[in-house]
Amino acid sequence: MAARILIVDDEAIIAETTGLILRQLGYAIAGQVASGEAALAAVAREMPDLVLMDINLGNDHEGIAAAETIRRQHGVPVVYVTAYTDDDTLARAKITHPFGYVTKPYAARDLHVAIEIALHNHQQDQRLRQSEQALADRAEHFAALLATTRDGVLETDEQGRMLDVNQAYCELTGYARAELVGQPLSFVEARAPSAQLAAQPSELLRLSGTRFERQHRAKDGRVIDLEISVTHLAARGRVVAFLRDITRRKEVQAAREAAEAVFRAVWEQSSMGMRLTDAAGDIRAVNDAYCRLVRWPREALVGQPFTCIYRADDVAEMQRRYQERFAQRAVQERFSRQLQLRDGRALDLEVTSSFMELEHTVMLLVMFQDVSLRKQAEAAREEMARTLKFKNQELERLVYLTSHDLRSPMLNIQGFAHRIAGDCAKLRGLVEADPFSPKDRAAALEIVSRQLPRSFGFIQAGVEKMDRLIASLLRLSRLGRAAFEPKPLDLNAVVNEALNALAFSLQAAEGEVEVGALPACAGDAALVSQLFTNLIDNAIKYRCPGRGLRLAITGEVREGQVVYCVADNGVGIPPEQQERIWEVFFRADPVGAVAGDGLGLNLVRGIAERHGGKVWVESVPGEGSRFFVALPVASTATAGTG
Ligand code: ADP
């Protein structure tokens, strides 16, 4: 595009001519004005590429003044046109840094050369100014960066002497800039002098372009961990270092390493089995305790689905529940469960689980505590508590028996013994009387033949009663003392034995006995035999006088227990007394002439409870009774110990 030129000349003819020449030279005319003022307005309006200014415009160097303003305010180059020039005018014109002079009258060529040189120079000028501006901008930018960056910046010479430091470095170290500038790097380096960078300037230069860690010492003696990157500006003989405070980062890293060490120790030394699984349910890590618990080697577990150790039947359901829980991030605080392993073992476990994010992956940490031993201990404790309760009841029964029932026959014996003593005294008086009258003789005879034998009879009955009670007492105490050894029992054998022992009474009772297939139970042979003997004996004792005894003994497994039933067609028990028959010495109506002491059923209940079982009765007076006994099933576990 043609350069646009503003012509400023108060001589219209010259201005016109100049315009013509310029057009011929291929320039465009941006305007033609005659005064300095008009020139300023035209420049502001037209922004020409160049102003051709008559130096002798008006008075008082009006053209020069206008040229100065144009250059300063608009940066438009001015070429002076002058016919004659005195030194003073020229000197003034020079101050305004014109881009050229043309002397009137001029040849078109001179004008062309002057204008082209002026445009070229102006262009160069502008470029220079632009790059100067860019440089200044960059410097400003850089200064701002140094001022605002949180990294420390140091500039040193090639020997490591500090030439400049930024504010961040001053704040980091607590030094003022003035305290640092001029000092060698060793002034701030916290290492032993031999290892300081300042001691080996070549080392400093060698590290250029790398990033490394060093420690500097703050003014208050604090050691600061720094990450340093160094650039060697060889052309300027300078080294610029950026220093980042990584003390906190190091602390965090140290804390993290410590936490990791703790975690590793807990992981490997814990007695709890620990397993880490990912979203797919694959095992990422297991600890030693886990391997010991499930008896699988670590290599066979890691990378496999966590279900690989479980019974095949459970796997699909386990996987489904796992995915569901994982999706919901649902953890169960702590719960107990039994897991069936593929090798057939069952593990009683207490399980705790939690989700955690490790290296940006969410994983499930599950901790397993083997509680089989604890469960065994708990079972043993329960068993002991049952034994203790049983023994206490025994003690109560014995105390009651001794204090109450042994006492009444004893009082009887005591009373009749007194009476005998009295009768004997009376007899002696009668016999010693002189004369021994026939009346006395009759009285003595009465004593000897009736009163004394009757008293002896009562004493004997009392002694027999005491003997029976003591025998029961012994039976009871044997139950308490005997070692309790439960094992699987063949109940048909036990019941047959009891029936054989009672064969005579059964025959006398014209008994018809029916025994079903009885499931085995876990029990103490002697005690269970005693239990059934008592029940069968009662069925014989409390049979209906008018009809022959019919006895049925059956058994079935119900909810983990064996329930046996001894059913008779005897006298039955009134409903309101059915609860009380289990009490010590209680005898229901009607017992009639049936001998007994009301201890048998108490013993039966004691034996059942000793096994963790129970007893109850269903009975209809006049029709018969059904006595039920629940005892533990003979499990394989019990069989193993038996
Ligand atoms: P005892 O037979 O020595 O009286 P038990 O404790 O064995 O003592 O029985 C308590 C009471 O329960 C008996 O006195 C009797 O009244 C009643 N009883 C026990 N077994 C039966 C039965 N099979 N039929 C009817 N009543 C019974």
Side-chain angles (χ1 to χ4, degrees), residues 12 81 140 219 227 293 337 356 412 443 488 529 588 595-596 602 610:
V81 181
E140 197 181 336
K219 192 173 180 180
E227 185 184 80
L293 188 69
R337 70 179 304 187
M356 52 176 57
N412 242 6
S529 160
N602 186 260
R610 182 84 171 86

Side-chain angles (χ1 to χ4, degrees), residues 460-609:
Q460 200 171 356
V463 168
E464 275 167 16
K465 168 115 183 163
M466 279 175 74
D467 182 49
R468 234 185 15 255
L469 286 174
I470 287 169
S472 301
L473 202 67
L474 274 175
R475 253 190 359 252
L476 281 174
S477 86
R478 225 175 278 130
L479 172 61
R481 268 184 293 115
F484 180 66
E485 287 173 358
K487 57 183 180 186
L489 292 182
D490 173 356
L491 255 281
N492 281 97
V494 170
V495 165
N496 279 336
E497 209 177 83
L499 289 170
N500 287 340
L502 294 165
F504 182 76
S505 325
L506 270 170
Q507 267 175 22
E510 295 170 15
E512 228 177 75
V513 186
E514 199 182 299
V515 182
L518 305 177
C521 73
D524 180 287
L527 294 181
V528 174
S529 160
Q530 208 172 350
L531 183 155
F532 279 94
T533 306
N534 264 289
L535 291 180
I536 298 166
D537 192 33
N538 276 354
I540 300 170
K541 282 195 321 189
Y542 301 105
R543 66 183 183 274
C544 244
R547 56 182 183 242
L549 166 67
R550 297 209 16 222
L551 184 62
I553 304 172
T554 53
E556 61 174 351
V557 176
R558 234 189 263 170
E559 292 166 10
Q561 287 194 309
V562 197
V563 178
Y564 301 101
C565 175
V566 179
D568 62 42
N569 61 340
V571 294
I573 305 158
E576 70 280 4
Q577 294 185 350
Q578 287 175 11
E579 272 303 302
R580 300 200 57 201
I581 54 169
W582 308 101
E583 291 172 13
V584 183
F585 302 126
F586 185 83
R587 309 198 67 200
D589 300 322
V591 281
V594 180
D597 48 27
L599 282 171
L601 287 183
N602 186 260
L603 191 71
V604 165
R605 185 175 69 176
I607 291 172
E609 286 177 356

